[in-house]
Amino acid sequence: MRIWLDGGLRDLESARVSVFDHGLTVGDGIFETVKAVDGRVFALTRHLDRLTRSARGLGLPDPDHEEIREACAAVLEANPMPLGRLRITYTGGHGPLGSDRGEHGPTLVVALGATTRRPDTTAVITVPWTRNERGALTGLKTTSYAENVVALARAHQHGASEALFGNTVGQLCEGTGSNVFIVLDGEIHTPPVASGCLPGITRALAVEWTGAKETDLPLDVLERADEIFLTSTLRDIQAVHRVDDRELPGAPGPVTAKAMRIFDEHAGEDLDP
């Protein structure tokens, strides 16, 4: 395995980040996960644009898009695989043990791991914790992910692959690493970014390509939705066949199945939409 770290490729044994890196000590970092199929990445421009928005939200220097593109290409060439999870991590770099940043500049890591295509359907649960739609990190893809780790572990304990959050005012928000869509009377809806959800890349493409509506939705809409599906970089569009104890027989339903076909067709036509 070859990894890009601060300007060049390293092997797994020599790719080391300082124990004082702010991404480790205080979670001062951002990241993107990009799908790579046979060495070709999907929607990289959108991912880099969001990386920059996240950097600005944290007050980090703008990442160098050309360097990251070079790093992605080098890592993909060095690690050929049919389907990969390309992870771009950008942190505040070497710093003090407190919250103040150091002066060494950011750390950039690009790594690749093998993955497999997701099943067409999955189970999800809701969790009692909330997303703060007014928080300082709302809408940013940061490395401060411990809340998601805890929620996802609970999902796995209940035989599910994802956990869904409401926000502080009881509206449906998002999953730990996905956006959620629901179907009501044949129409597709998804929570707006103002709900506190991450503005997912796949979410945005699904809205554009299917005509889904951004709608404020109460969390209990999950109890009456005709169909439910998730979107994320590695899920694309994935139907939900169970939410908590409620079964949704026949998933993917007709609206979700059509959305899946539309997404696959558009994605196949343009690798950088």
Side-chain angles (χ1 to χ4, degrees), residues 205-268:
L205 293 172
V207 169
E208 291 177 22
W209 293 343
T210 70
K213 299 179 179 179
E214 296 182 278
T215 309
D216 288 324
L217 301 162
L219 186 59
D220 64 9
V221 74
L222 298 171
E223 300 172 7
R224 60 181 186 278
D226 301 320
E227 302 174 37
I228 303 170
F229 64 84
L230 307 176
T231 63
S232 74
T233 290
L234 295 176
R235 294 177 190 266
D236 293 334
I237 291 179
Q238 184 181 38
V240 171
H241 64 254
R242 175 171 61 85
V243 55
D244 293 328
D245 294 326
R246 183 194 175 204
E247 298 287 342
L248 286 89
V255 177
T256 301
K258 181 179 179 181
M260 294 167 79
R261 290 194 300 271
I262 290 171
F263 189 91
D264 287 346
E265 290 170 2
H266 282 274

XYZ file of all heavy atoms in Angstrom, residues 205-268:
496
model
N -26.516 15.499 -6.275
C -26.740 14.917 -7.598
C -28.105 14.235 -7.662
O -28.811 14.334 -8.674
C -25.629 13.917 -7.924
C -24.233 14.528 -8.122
C -23.182 13.434 -8.253
C -24.204 15.445 -9.342
N -28.490 13.555 -6.592
C -29.804 12.899 -6.570
C -30.925 13.926 -6.660
O -31.932 13.707 -7.348
C -29.947 12.053 -5.305
N -30.776 15.061 -5.978
C -31.782 16.126 -6.061
C -31.870 16.647 -7.495
O -32.960 16.827 -8.052
C -31.452 17.269 -5.080
C -32.321 18.494 -5.353
C -31.649 16.802 -3.634
N -30.712 16.909 -8.114
C -30.691 17.437 -9.476
C -31.290 16.452 -10.468
O -32.049 16.842 -11.368
C -29.245 17.751 -9.886
C -28.621 18.921 -9.148
C -27.173 19.133 -9.537
O -26.781 18.683 -10.643
O -26.422 19.736 -8.745
N -30.949 15.194 -10.332
C -31.293 14.212 -11.357
C -32.685 13.598 -11.176
O -33.255 13.070 -12.131
C -30.242 13.103 -11.384
C -28.889 13.575 -11.849
C -28.618 14.742 -12.521
C -27.636 12.914 -11.686
N -27.265 14.842 -12.779
C -26.630 13.732 -12.284
C -27.234 11.717 -11.086
C -25.280 13.387 -12.307
C -25.891 11.370 -11.104
C -24.928 12.177 -11.704
N -33.231 13.632 -9.965
C -34.547 13.021 -9.740
C -35.641 14.051 -9.500
O -36.817 13.683 -9.471
C -34.518 12.065 -8.530
O -34.370 12.826 -7.315
C -33.389 11.052 -8.656
N -35.269 15.317 -9.284
C -36.266 16.330 -8.979
C -36.777 16.271 -7.558
O -37.859 16.794 -7.250
N -36.019 15.657 -6.654
C -36.426 15.575 -5.247
C -36.587 16.980 -4.669
O -35.890 17.922 -5.054
C -35.382 14.789 -4.452
N -37.493 17.103 -3.706
C -37.766 18.387 -3.068
C -37.073 18.443 -1.709
O -37.083 17.465 -0.953
C -39.273 18.577 -2.878
C -40.061 18.588 -4.172
C -41.556 18.746 -3.906
C -42.350 18.790 -5.201
N -43.817 18.924 -4.945
N -36.495 19.595 -1.395
C -35.929 19.815 -0.065
C -37.051 20.311 0.840
O -37.623 21.379 0.610
C -34.788 20.814 -0.130
C -33.611 20.305 -0.958
C -32.447 21.273 -0.978
O -32.493 22.224 -1.781
O -31.514 21.100 -0.175
N -37.346 19.531 1.870
C -38.542 19.757 2.679
C -38.219 19.555 4.156
O -37.563 18.573 4.518
C -39.652 18.757 2.283
O -39.839 18.775 0.861
C -40.954 19.088 2.983
N -38.695 20.467 5.005
C -38.612 20.236 6.443
C -39.527 19.073 6.797
O -40.728 19.098 6.502
C -39.040 21.488 7.215
C -37.999 22.600 7.133
O -36.791 22.290 7.122
O -38.397 23.784 7.076
N -38.965 18.053 7.432
C -39.699 16.820 7.705
C -39.591 16.467 9.184
O -38.482 16.444 9.735
C -39.119 15.663 6.883
C -39.122 15.833 5.357
C -38.154 14.851 4.719
C -40.531 15.631 4.811
N -40.705 16.168 9.846
C -40.614 15.710 11.229
C -39.948 14.336 11.272
O -40.044 13.550 10.321
C -42.066 15.653 11.677
C -42.841 15.434 10.415
C -42.088 16.178 9.347
N -39.268 14.049 12.371
C -38.571 12.772 12.471
C -39.530 11.595 12.321
O -39.176 10.562 11.744
C -37.834 12.691 13.819
C -36.933 11.476 14.033
C -35.853 11.404 12.960
C -36.311 11.511 15.419
N -40.774 11.768 12.789
C -41.705 10.639 12.714
C -42.240 10.387 11.308
O -43.053 9.481 11.110
C -42.856 10.805 13.710
C -43.754 12.011 13.420
O -43.599 12.633 12.352
O -44.618 12.321 14.266
N -41.786 11.146 10.317
C -42.165 10.850 8.939
C -41.677 9.459 8.541
O -42.241 8.817 7.643
C -41.622 11.928 7.976
C -40.112 11.772 7.769
C -42.329 11.865 6.624
N -40.630 8.986 9.224
C -40.103 7.647 8.942
C -41.131 6.561 9.239
O -41.029 5.454 8.710
C -38.834 7.405 9.757
C -37.659 8.339 9.463
C -36.552 8.133 10.489
C -37.116 8.113 8.046
N -42.116 6.879 10.082
C -43.137 5.895 10.446
C -44.225 5.763 9.386
O -45.006 4.796 9.426
C -43.770 6.280 11.789
C -42.772 6.340 12.938
C -43.385 6.915 14.200
O -44.625 7.138 14.217
O -42.640 7.149 15.171
N -44.286 6.723 8.458
C -45.361 6.668 7.465
C -44.872 6.825 6.022
O -45.681 6.794 5.089
C -46.400 7.750 7.757
C -45.872 9.171 7.726
C -46.978 10.177 8.047
N -46.547 11.563 7.891
C -45.876 12.248 8.803
N -45.551 11.673 9.952
N -45.521 13.506 8.586
N -43.598 6.996 5.830
C -43.068 7.132 4.472
C -43.369 5.883 3.651
O -43.294 4.756 4.146
C -41.562 7.376 4.521
N -43.708 6.093 2.387
C -43.963 4.956 1.497
C -42.662 4.225 1.163
O -42.637 2.996 1.057
C -44.614 5.447 0.200
C -45.920 6.174 0.447
O -46.690 5.719 1.321
O -46.179 7.204 -0.216
N -41.609 4.985 0.973
C -40.294 4.433 0.678
C -39.249 5.323 1.353
O -39.491 6.508 1.603
C -40.019 4.390 -0.832
C -41.020 3.584 -1.640
C -40.780 3.707 -3.146
O -39.598 3.770 -3.557
O -41.779 3.753 -3.892
N -38.096 4.749 1.635
C -36.979 5.487 2.222
C -35.715 5.031 1.503
O -35.544 3.840 1.216
C -36.839 5.203 3.732
C -38.137 5.552 4.476
C -35.664 5.984 4.326
C -38.157 5.073 5.925
N -34.836 5.983 1.213
C -33.528 5.572 0.700
C -32.433 6.504 1.210
O -32.689 7.623 1.670
C -33.502 5.435 -0.827
C -33.740 6.684 -1.633
C -32.709 7.581 -1.916
C -35.000 6.946 -2.188
C -32.927 8.703 -2.710
C -35.222 8.069 -2.981
C -34.177 8.950 -3.242
N -31.214 5.990 1.165
C -30.028 6.726 1.597
C -29.172 7.059 0.390
O -29.202 6.364 -0.629
C -29.196 5.875 2.566
C -29.889 5.287 3.788
C -28.907 4.408 4.567
C -30.459 6.388 4.671
N -28.387 8.125 0.522
C -27.383 8.447 -0.492
C -26.059 8.725 0.192
O -26.010 9.295 1.274
C -27.773 9.681 -1.335
O -27.859 10.836 -0.489
C -29.089 9.476 -2.059
N -24.986 8.298 -0.447
C -23.636 8.639 -0.005
C -22.679 8.253 -1.120
O -23.076 7.587 -2.092
C -23.257 7.920 1.293
O -22.987 6.552 1.065
N -21.422 8.627 -0.963
C -20.433 8.371 -2.006
C -20.331 6.898 -2.353
O -20.242 6.535 -3.531
C -19.066 8.906 -1.557
O -19.112 10.337 -1.556
C -17.953 8.452 -2.494
N -20.322 6.025 -1.359
C -20.142 4.603 -1.630
C -21.454 3.831 -1.675
O -21.499 2.709 -2.173
C -19.208 3.992 -0.584
C -17.772 4.539 -0.649
C -16.931 3.964 0.487
C -17.116 4.233 -1.986
N -22.541 4.421 -1.180
C -23.849 3.787 -1.323
C -24.488 4.139 -2.657
O -25.345 3.401 -3.144
C -24.789 4.241 -0.195
C -24.399 3.801 1.198
C -25.359 4.379 2.232
N -24.913 4.196 3.597
C -25.252 3.186 4.388
N -26.079 2.255 3.936
N -24.797 3.099 5.620
N -24.126 5.274 -3.263
C -24.902 5.862 -4.351
C -26.330 6.052 -3.823
O -26.539 6.820 -2.894
C -24.850 5.013 -5.622
C -23.462 4.980 -6.245
O -22.696 5.941 -6.039
O -23.143 3.992 -6.914
N -27.299 5.345 -4.383
C -28.656 5.336 -3.826
C -28.936 3.925 -3.322
O -28.797 2.949 -4.063
C -29.696 5.760 -4.876
C -29.522 7.247 -5.214
C -31.116 5.483 -4.367
C -30.487 7.756 -6.275
N -29.313 3.835 -2.057
C -29.562 2.531 -1.443
C -30.912 2.550 -0.737
O -31.165 3.402 0.120
C -28.462 2.183 -0.445
C -28.600 0.799 0.177
C -27.512 0.500 1.184
O -27.092 1.374 1.932
N -27.046 -0.745 1.202
N -31.764 1.610 -1.085
C -33.094 1.529 -0.481
C -33.014 1.045 0.964
O -32.094 0.318 1.349
C -33.975 0.586 -1.298
N -34.001 1.445 1.751
C -34.132 0.998 3.143
C -35.300 0.027 3.233
O -36.415 0.351 2.818
C -34.366 2.203 4.081
C -34.724 1.735 5.496
C -33.135 3.108 4.100
N -35.024 -1.168 3.781
C -36.100 -2.154 3.927
C -36.598 -2.254 5.370
O -37.631 -2.881 5.635
C -35.678 -3.536 3.431
C -34.557 -4.165 4.218
N -33.279 -4.250 3.731
C -34.528 -4.733 5.450
C -32.511 -4.858 4.610
N -33.253 -5.151 5.682
N -35.874 -1.638 6.309
C -36.343 -1.610 7.693
C -35.819 -0.363 8.379
O -34.639 -0.035 8.250
C -35.865 -2.856 8.455
C -36.222 -2.833 9.947
C -35.942 -4.162 10.632
N -34.546 -4.543 10.592
C -33.624 -4.126 11.479
N -33.951 -3.271 12.435
N -32.389 -4.557 11.387
N -36.696 0.326 9.105
C -36.292 1.445 9.947
C -36.805 1.157 11.348
O -38.009 1.017 11.562
C -36.790 2.800 9.400
C -38.287 2.812 9.177
C -36.383 3.934 10.327
N -35.881 1.008 12.304
C -36.224 0.542 13.650
C -36.977 -0.784 13.521
O -36.467 -1.715 12.927
C -37.007 1.615 14.404
C -36.155 2.848 14.707
O -34.937 2.699 14.907
O -36.702 3.959 14.734
N -38.209 -0.849 14.030
C -38.972 -2.103 13.948
C -39.956 -2.122 12.782
O -40.735 -3.072 12.634
C -39.745 -2.330 15.253
C -38.816 -2.562 16.437
O -37.752 -3.160 16.239
O -39.163 -2.127 17.553
N -39.933 -1.099 11.972
C -40.891 -1.017 10.865
C -40.288 -1.604 9.584
O -39.223 -1.154 9.121
C -41.270 0.442 10.601
C -42.321 0.564 9.507
C -42.499 1.958 8.980
N -43.429 1.944 7.864
C -43.474 2.866 6.912
N -42.679 3.918 6.958
N -44.351 2.753 5.925
N -40.938 -2.587 9.041
C -40.504 -3.191 7.781
C -41.129 -2.438 6.607
O -42.285 -2.008 6.678
C -40.911 -4.660 7.719
C -40.290 -5.534 8.784
C -38.806 -5.802 8.550
O -38.350 -5.610 7.399
O -38.125 -6.206 9.502
N -40.352 -2.288 5.538
C -40.853 -1.724 4.292
C -40.743 -2.812 3.222
O -39.727 -2.912 2.523
C -40.059 -0.480 3.885
C -40.341 0.783 4.709
C -39.420 0.842 5.930
C -40.151 2.035 3.862
N -41.748 -3.635 3.113
C -41.680 -4.778 2.189
C -41.578 -4.314 0.743
O -42.090 -3.264 0.365
C -42.989 -5.525 2.450
C -43.904 -4.506 3.037
C -43.042 -3.561 3.817
N -40.879 -5.109 -0.024
C -40.755 -4.805 -1.446
C -39.682 -3.804 -1.795
O -39.569 -3.399 -2.960
N -38.896 -3.374 -0.821
C -37.823 -2.425 -1.121
C -36.778 -3.075 -2.040
O -36.469 -4.259 -1.875
C -37.173 -1.953 0.174
N -36.247 -2.322 -2.997
C -36.582 -0.926 -3.310
C -37.940 -0.800 -3.992
O -38.262 -1.546 -4.913
C -35.466 -0.495 -4.260
C -34.978 -1.766 -4.890
C -35.158 -2.832 -3.852
N -38.727 0.171 -3.512
C -40.013 0.451 -4.121
C -39.856 1.066 -5.496
O -38.738 1.384 -5.924
N -40.949 1.283 -6.202
C -40.863 1.754 -7.589
C -40.200 3.120 -7.738
O -39.445 3.338 -8.700
C -42.325 1.790 -8.035
C -43.138 1.821 -6.780
C -42.346 1.046 -5.781
N -40.459 4.041 -6.821
C -39.847 5.373 -6.936
C -38.346 5.294 -6.669
O -37.532 5.881 -7.386
C -40.522 6.372 -5.974
C -39.837 7.738 -6.047
C -42.005 6.504 -6.307
N -37.972 4.541 -5.654
C -36.551 4.373 -5.346
C -35.825 3.642 -6.469
O -34.714 4.024 -6.860
C -36.379 3.606 -4.024
O -37.029 4.322 -2.975
C -34.917 3.439 -3.683
N -36.446 2.591 -6.996
C -35.820 1.831 -8.082
C -35.582 2.721 -9.298
O -34.529 2.648 -9.952
C -36.696 0.636 -8.454
N -36.537 3.603 -9.593
C -36.364 4.535 -10.706
C -35.227 5.510 -10.413
O -34.405 5.804 -11.291
C -37.659 5.288 -10.974
C -37.563 6.266 -12.144
C -38.895 6.980 -12.389
C -38.778 7.969 -13.548
N -40.079 8.683 -13.771
N -35.161 5.999 -9.181
C -34.083 6.913 -8.808
C -32.723 6.241 -8.934
O -31.743 6.860 -9.383
C -34.296 7.416 -7.383
N -32.645 4.976 -8.565
C -31.396 4.226 -8.687
C -30.971 4.115 -10.143
O -29.785 4.297 -10.483
C -31.552 2.842 -8.060
C -31.771 2.876 -6.552
S -32.322 1.289 -5.856
C -30.785 0.390 -5.783
N -31.926 3.824 -11.015
C -31.611 3.716 -12.444
C -31.146 5.058 -13.003
O -30.168 5.129 -13.758
C -32.838 3.223 -13.223
C -33.216 1.777 -12.956
C -34.205 1.272 -14.006
N -35.440 2.061 -14.026
C -36.503 1.793 -13.283
N -36.477 0.770 -12.432
N -37.594 2.536 -13.378
N -31.852 6.129 -12.627
C -31.496 7.461 -13.125
C -30.086 7.832 -12.668
O -29.274 8.349 -13.458
C -32.521 8.506 -12.634
C -33.864 8.305 -13.334
C -32.012 9.928 -12.856
C -34.978 9.151 -12.756
N -29.790 7.564 -11.412
C -28.465 7.912 -10.898
C -27.376 7.136 -11.633
O -26.358 7.706 -12.052
C -28.380 7.638 -9.396
C -27.126 8.175 -8.765
C -27.096 9.459 -8.234
C -25.965 7.409 -8.724
C -25.930 9.964 -7.680
C -24.795 7.906 -8.174
C -24.783 9.195 -7.648
N -27.579 5.833 -11.801
C -26.575 5.011 -12.483
C -26.360 5.486 -13.917
O -25.213 5.529 -14.406
C -27.000 3.552 -12.477
C -26.858 2.898 -11.098
O -26.184 3.503 -10.236
O -27.421 1.804 -10.901
N -27.431 5.853 -14.597
C -27.316 6.310 -15.979
C -26.521 7.617 -16.059
O -25.592 7.740 -16.878
C -28.707 6.509 -16.593
C -29.454 5.204 -16.837
C -30.912 5.433 -17.207
O -31.313 6.612 -17.299
O -31.642 4.439 -17.402
N -26.877 8.589 -15.247
C -26.183 9.874 -15.273
C -24.723 9.739 -14.853
O -23.817 10.331 -15.459
C -26.891 10.886 -14.378
C -28.122 11.485 -14.985
N -28.087 12.587 -15.806
C -29.428 11.130 -14.889
C -29.309 12.885 -16.195
N -30.138 12.021 -15.643
N -24.474 8.954 -13.798
C -23.116 8.771 -13.316
C -22.250 8.073 -14.353
O -21.049 8.344 -14.477
C -23.118 7.988 -12.005
N -22.843 7.162 -15.111
C -22.108 6.472 -16.148
C -21.742 7.340 -17.329
O -20.788 7.067 -18.064
